[in-house]
Amino acid sequence: MNHNPSIDTGLHTNIVALKQRLGDSDDLIVRELQPMVGGVQRDMALLFIDGLAEDTAIQQFIIEPLLKAGTTPDGNKLEQEHLLRYLVQSVLTASQVAKEDNWELAVDALINGSVLLLVDGCDSSLTITMTHWEQRAVTEPTNQAVIRGPKEAFTENIHVNTALIRRIIKNPSVILKSQKIGQVTKTNVSIMYVKGIVDETALQEVNQRLSQINTDAILESGYIEEFIQDETYTLYPTVQNTERPDVVAAAILEGRIAILIDGTPHVLLVPALFVQFLQSAEDYYQRADISSLLRILRYFGLFIAALVPALYIAITTFHQEMLPTQLLISLAAQREGVPFPAFIEAIIMEATYEILREAGIRMPRAVGQAVSIVGTLVIGQAAVEAGIISASMIIVVSITAISSYVIPEFDMSIAVRITRFLFMGLAAAFGMYGIFIGILALLLHLCSLRSFGVPYMSPVGPLSVQDQKDVLVRVPHPGLTRRPSMFSKLNPIRQRKAARRKGK
């Protein structure tokens, strides 16, 4: 195909050029027709990719109307320059038909499942949307399940995902803007937000970062996340991802921005704060007192998952005087005969558990859970009986592993697991002083992070008193009258204060 992007007037020239453009691919279907349109027999051709366009719809909405077109209502012959307009307005019954003059744009439409209608003598084509391919149905979330709340999850089809969000927020202020990213894959990437609530500065920043992405392929939301995140070299995620439409709807109603990527069921949310990774969608469906208790438990679980092994190492190695005498004697009796120091002992057990957890995920589902449970029990019991690991270390590792599952977001859970090893190293080297230094360094690092201009530790640091209603605890919904101040500055009022009900 030549470098001229315009479409030629010769039908067979266009067919040959298109075949060359697609490398004579076997799944390119060419259907030539000679219908009577506008009182003249016309040479036409339909071109589509097998498997991307729906055959039944092509037959019903394109081929049959063309073959039945006949003459114009007034019986006059149709001039060549008005032919395509007549086809769009009076013949074709498909819902989405567009005229295209540029070859590259026409080829892009073809690759995305549209049908090209070429007419001999016309230097333009008609692109008819007939997209159809097999897709996964809307099912329950696999990673963010809740007891009370919607049971719908996103799919790999971006159009289904946007519809799921619009079904929740039935408001014309919900705006969707799309673009193609990836020079080879040309992946459809869309941003969704609520006009009048979203922070315009953050919106411009998101558009700018997306427009600066220059890569061959975007295969999953993780590609976009690494391109747009504020800080690359940090363990802690600054972009939130979710597979739940209700979470996305709640986020954009707060003034945040959703980024949807075709081909993945995970939607990105920005800006993202540390406290939001410890919140669950179910927090807003349960009563406020229950939700608050669960959140406090998550923070407690975060503390256990990150620090308990390090505290055990520091106390048993450097600070035995902190333990009651009877407990110290019991621990000493258990560790009698164990050949490794507490740090090496903890590293062995933590690494073993991480291997078992990863194996349980990668193995077939029918045996993965059984292997992980049996492997943990058998290896732990055998290690204690062999005198390699103390029983107390088994308890510490088990409590730590269970507590890491309390964190709702998988990305945050991984970050905490890695941080645990760093604290263990500091505890083995410097004891409690090392742990305190590590905590201070971690807090300084977290406070230095930004997510699209918003401080990562907001609303704790910097402190926002009015936003504390939905951090460690959640007040009842009538008390959540304002949106988070760091997200929505244009429209901070969420609802009017509820009238106080008088008791009987």
Side-chain angles (χ1 to χ4, degrees), residues 80-122:
Q80 192 76 14
E81 59 268 19
H82 302 304
L83 176 59
L84 294 183
R85 183 190 303 173
Y86 174 72
L87 290 175
V88 173
Q89 296 179 350
S90 303
V91 177
L92 299 175
T93 58
S95 59
Q96 299 183 44
V97 184
K99 182 181 177 182
E100 189 54 68
D101 302 322
N102 186 284
W103 254 128
E104 289 301 320
L105 295 179
V107 171
D108 286 345
L110 181 70
I111 295 298
N112 282 279
S114 295
V115 177
L116 294 187
L117 175 59
L118 300 174
V119 182
D120 191 30
C122 294

Side-chain angles (χ1 to χ4, degrees), residues 166 169-175 193-195:
R166 286 195 179 275
I169 309 177
K170 304 176 182 68
N171 193 297
S173 297
V174 178
I175 307 299
Y193 56 91
V194 179
K195 186 177 181 180

Side-chain angles (χ1 to χ4, degrees), residues 40-213:
V40 178
Q41 195 171 27
R42 315 277 182 170
D43 289 331
M44 302 183 183
L46 295 175
L47 300 97
F48 58 93
I49 302 297
D50 187 23
L52 295 185
E54 187 175 4
D55 295 340
T56 304
I58 294 174
Q59 177 68 28
Q60 180 179 357
F61 300 114
I62 302 178
I63 296 178
E64 289 183 4
L66 286 174
L67 296 179
K68 295 178 181 178
T71 61
T72 57
D74 56 7
N76 297 326
K77 290 186 178 180
L78 193 65
E79 298 296 333
Q80 192 76 14
E81 59 268 19
H82 302 304
L83 176 59
L84 294 183
R85 183 190 303 173
Y86 174 72
L87 290 175
V88 173
Q89 296 179 350
S90 303
V91 177
L92 299 175
T93 58
S95 59
Q96 299 183 44
V97 184
K99 182 181 177 182
E100 189 54 68
D101 302 322
N102 186 284
W103 254 128
E104 289 301 320
L105 295 179
V107 171
D108 286 345
L110 181 70
I111 295 298
N112 282 279
S114 295
V115 177
L116 294 187
L117 175 59
L118 300 174
V119 182
D120 191 30
C122 294
D123 58 356
S124 300
S125 71
L126 293 181
T127 60
I128 309 167
T129 302
M130 289 288 165
T131 305
H132 174 77
W133 51 71
E134 295 298 326
Q135 63 185 31
R136 185 168 61 91
V138 177
T139 58
E140 290 191 26
T142 56
N143 298 323
Q144 297 175 336
V146 296
I147 297 176
R148 180 176 180 177
K151 297 296 190 292
E152 291 179 333
F154 289 122
T155 70
E156 286 74 15
N157 190 323
I158 191 172
H159 302 294
V160 174
N161 296 343
T162 56
L164 289 172
I165 299 173
R166 286 195 179 275
R167 196 172 71 174
I168 300 175
I169 309 177
K170 304 176 182 68
N171 193 297
S173 297
V174 178
I175 307 299
L176 180 72
K177 297 294 184 181
S178 301
Q179 59 181 299
K180 303 289 185 182
I181 300 181
Q183 297 176 0
V184 177
T185 60
K186 300 185 186 303
T187 305
N188 188 11
V189 178
S190 302
I191 62 173
M192 185 174 275
Y193 56 91
V194 179
K195 186 177 181 180
I197 296 179
V198 68
D199 185 359
E200 293 294 335
T201 303
L203 181 60
Q204 293 177 4
E205 185 68 22
V206 170
N207 285 321
Q208 179 182 356
R209 295 187 189 185
L210 289 177
S211 63
Q212 291 176 347
I213 297 176

